[in-house]
Amino acid sequence: MITRQLLRQSIKRNYSVKTERAIVLNQQQLQTFDLDLEGDFPVQEISVDSEPVVRGSEEASFGRKRIGCVELPRSLIQGVDQIIEHYPDKRLIRTDSLRLFDALRSTSGRQPQNEKEAVEPHKLTYGPRESVAYTASVMSGNYAAIYNVLKELKSRVSSFNPNSMLDFGTGPGTAIWAAKQLFDVEAYTAVDLSEDMLNVAEQLEKSVKMDKCQSIEFKRYLSYNPMAPKTDLVISAFTLGDITSEALQKSTVEQLWSQTGDILVLMDRGTPVGFQNIAKARQWILDEQDAHVIAPCSHDKPCPMLFSAESKPNQMWCHYSQRVQRPSFLMKTKHAKNNIEDIKYSYVILRKGKRPSPQSDMETQAYDWPRLIQPPLKKNKHVVLDTCSKEGEIQRMVIPKSQGKVPYRDARKAAWGDLFPHGSKNKVVTRLSKGVVEQD
């Protein structure tokens, strides 16, 4: 413990008129050491501002979409490890995974940079080998994307607590394992055409700890009974792209919507083709005039990235990114040295009923906030934001520093996919006009 004599010596040693120095003591310390500083040592009281420093707005925090790197649950990783451990020839897992990646790239709609990389568009049938390869290579990224979307749903609609869930095109049960982390669903229904995929999902169910009140019903076909109760949450993730024709896609989406009691989530790959699948499915449902979009759109009008006159969906399309931590089995399958990867996806969350009018709470106000469709451009004393607006247009906003500390900081901290709660001080520029759908 420091003594009064040592403190006095320290003050005299460190204080000099030529090199002005200060020693900060509170009132209690002054009384404890009984120091007389009114002579050679001037005393000045420092005022403390009790008001908190405002760093950013609550609205910007509420509209934030990024959640950081997603990690798969330990029980799910152990379940996949057990499946791989009992596989007769582990080398085939990587071989089949490469075939899967080639098939996915061939149907993405992107033009390969090298002609040698061009592959004839094709799709694979998921047999026993392909199902295991999918689980070991593709499932982790899809899980992270689904988890992001469901977490956003839970944040945006805090009153939504589904009791039942239907996962169409469940694969190894990816969406079910993600929903299990966020919602207390009592009854799950998993539908997939591939019997081998369902076998993998059933094996994982034994490894993933489920509550006693929770149950999963595995089915190969999507049956519809008009007398049966509707499902609170219906999900179809990364499945529409596997359906061969647009007519079958439309009938599938309509059937899913007919079984939806409250909310329908549609997801596909973040490629031009995947985006177009989601945008068309979104429009098919909105044409029924009994639905509204929760996310990502700030409007219920036709998507300007697909249906406007200036749109170029192969160059600019609505998609987002989520980072996932690669489990050890994924690193071994891909022969990867980096333990993270980013998954690109397109999605839409639709809900029954009319679009809510903005009220005093942030949940309803957020329906009208524009969403960043790409990363912001941070310039000198201003930020450029490309957003999807409530007018149904793609607009460019410029947030200058002169607009205010809070809006400017929110703009500097905004990220791809976030909702932005502020207007623009300057005039917005329309990059893509409103979409127009031709009526048959």
Side-chain angles (χ1 to χ4, degrees):
M1 180 180 294
I2 187 170
T3 63
R4 298 178 187 177
Q5 183 178 1
L6 290 175
L7 182 60
R8 290 192 183 96
Q9 292 176 356
S10 175
I11 293 175
K12 292 179 180 179
R13 183 171 59 253
N14 291 298
Y15 183 82
S16 172
V17 177
K18 295 181 180 179
T19 58
E20 295 182 356
R21 298 182 182 180
I23 296 178
V24 180
L25 299 173
N26 58 31
Q27 188 66 29
Q28 184 180 2
Q29 290 172 331
L30 285 172
Q31 294 175 357
T32 302
F33 294 108
D34 193 20
L35 297 175
D36 183 13
L37 303 178
E38 296 180 358
D40 297 333
F41 304 100
V43 179
Q44 181 179 358
E45 184 177 353
I46 301 175
S47 60
V48 180
D49 190 2
S50 59
E51 295 184 1
V53 178
V54 179
R55 294 294 184 185
S57 66
E58 293 182 5
E59 290 81 1
S61 249
F62 180 79
R64 188 169 294 122
K65 181 177 173 61
R66 63 185 184 277
I67 60 174
C69 188
V70 172
E71 183 179 358
L72 271 65
R74 177 56 52 186
S75 57
L76 184 58
I77 295 176
Q78 293 174 349
V80 178
D81 285 336
Q82 291 178 9
I83 293 175
I84 295 175
E85 183 65 26
H86 293 89
Y87 199 74
D89 190 350
K90 297 178 180 57
R91 291 174 298 179
L92 289 177
I93 296 179
R94 173 168 170 79
T95 302
D96 296 331
S97 296
L98 294 177
R99 291 196 297 116
L100 280 176
F101 296 143
D102 285 340
L104 293 174
R105 279 194 295 266
S106 71
T107 56
S108 65
R110 296 177 179 174
Q111 296 295 329
Q113 297 179 354
N114 189 347
E115 293 183 358
K116 295 181 180 180
E117 298 178 358
V119 180
E120 188 71 20
H122 65 283
K123 298 176 183 179
L124 296 181
T125 301
Y126 289 99
R129 288 175 50 178
E130 291 79 9
S131 299
V132 174
Y134 181 95
T135 305
S137 59
V138 181
M139 185 192 71
S140 300
N142 290 354
Y143 173 93
I146 297 170
Y147 183 86
N148 181 298
V149 172
L150 293 183
K151 190 172 181 63
E152 181 183 8
L153 169 60
K154 185 176 182 180
S155 172
R156 290 285 306 279
V157 189
S158 58
S159 60
F160 179 62
N161 296 303
N163 292 320
S164 57
M165 172 181 163
L166 168 64
D167 182 13
F168 177 74
T170 185
T174 312
I176 291 178
W177 314 135
K180 180 180 177 293
Q181 306 299 314
L182 299 168
F183 300 107
D184 294 326
V185 180
E186 295 182 0
Y188 298 92
T189 302
V191 179
D192 201 289
L193 183 62
S194 172
E195 186 72 31
D196 297 294
M197 274 291 195
L198 293 179
N199 292 335
V200 173
E202 290 176 351
Q203 294 179 52
L204 289 177
E205 182 191 12
K206 298 176 182 178
S207 303
V208 179
K209 296 179 181 179
M210 304 286 290
D211 296 336
K212 294 182 179 178
C213 60
Q214 296 175 329
S215 62
I216 303 179
E217 180 185 4
F218 295 98
K219 300 169 63 177
R220 286 200 63 190
Y221 299 99
L222 182 64
S223 59
Y224 176 62
N225 182 3
M227 303 302 295
K230 297 184 181 297
T231 307
D232 297 334
L233 175 62
V234 178
I235 299 179
S236 176
F238 306 97
T239 303
L240 291 178
D242 293 332
I243 300 177
T244 54
S245 68
E246 186 173 309
L248 285 176
Q249 287 182 355
K250 184 176 182 180
S251 63
T252 301
V253 170
E254 291 175 347
Q255 191 171 359
L256 290 173
W257 182 247
S258 66
Q259 298 200 29
T260 301
D262 196 353
I263 289 179
L264 171 64
V265 178
L266 299 175
M267 298 181 64
D268 210 332
R269 291 175 292 156
T271 62
V273 172
F275 154 68
Q276 292 177 44
N277 291 336
I278 295 299
K280 291 176 183 177
R282 170 187 179 275
Q283 193 59 41
W284 292 331
I285 294 176
L286 292 178
D287 286 342
E288 299 293 330
Q289 299 180 353
D290 186 27
H292 65 273
V293 180
I294 296 177
C297 317
S298 303
H299 60 89
D300 296 330
K301 302 176 178 63
C303 177
M305 290 190 180
L306 183 62
F307 295 108
S308 71
E310 307 91 355
S311 66
K312 296 180 180 179
N314 288 329
Q315 299 178 12
M316 183 180 184
W317 64 95
C318 180
H319 67 291
Y320 304 92
S321 179
Q322 175 57 48
R323 177 161 292 183
V324 61
Q325 180 175 328
R326 288 170 171 162
S328 58
F329 63 78
L330 180 56
M331 295 185 68
K332 293 177 182 177
T333 302
K334 288 191 170 184
H335 290 182
K337 296 181 180 180
N338 191 359
N339 68 338
I340 58 173
E341 71 176 44
D342 296 313
I343 177 74
K344 304 295 192 299
Y345 64 94
S346 298
Y347 78 106
V348 65
I349 304 176
L350 297 139
R351 193 174 197 183
K352 297 272 187 176
K354 296 182 179 180
R355 193 176 189 84
S357 302
Q359 305 293 332
S360 58
D361 60 300
M362 283 191 290
E363 284 193 13
T364 54
Q365 292 176 8
Y367 278 88
D368 288 345
W369 294 347
R371 185 182 295 272
L372 274 68
I373 59 169
Q374 60 186 24
L377 303 174
K378 300 177 184 179
K379 303 294 185 178
N380 184 23
K381 296 184 179 180
H382 69 276
V383 183
V384 181
L385 307 176
D386 286 333
T387 64
C388 180
S389 68
K390 64 179 180 180
E391 290 80 14
E393 300 174 341
I394 301 300
Q395 297 179 348
R396 171 161 288 186
M397 304 168 57
V398 178
I399 308 298
K401 191 174 183 179
S402 59
Q403 185 166 334
K405 289 184 179 180
V406 174
Y408 181 67
R409 187 185 189 279
D410 287 344
R412 297 285 296 185
K413 297 298 180 180
W416 179 17
D418 290 353
L419 294 172
F420 191 70
H422 307 286
S424 177
K425 177 182 177 181
N426 303 319
K427 183 179 179 180
V428 299
V429 177
T430 301
R431 296 193 63 190
L432 294 178
S433 59
K434 297 179 182 179
V436 178
V437 178
E438 297 180 0
Q439 301 294 333
D440 295 336

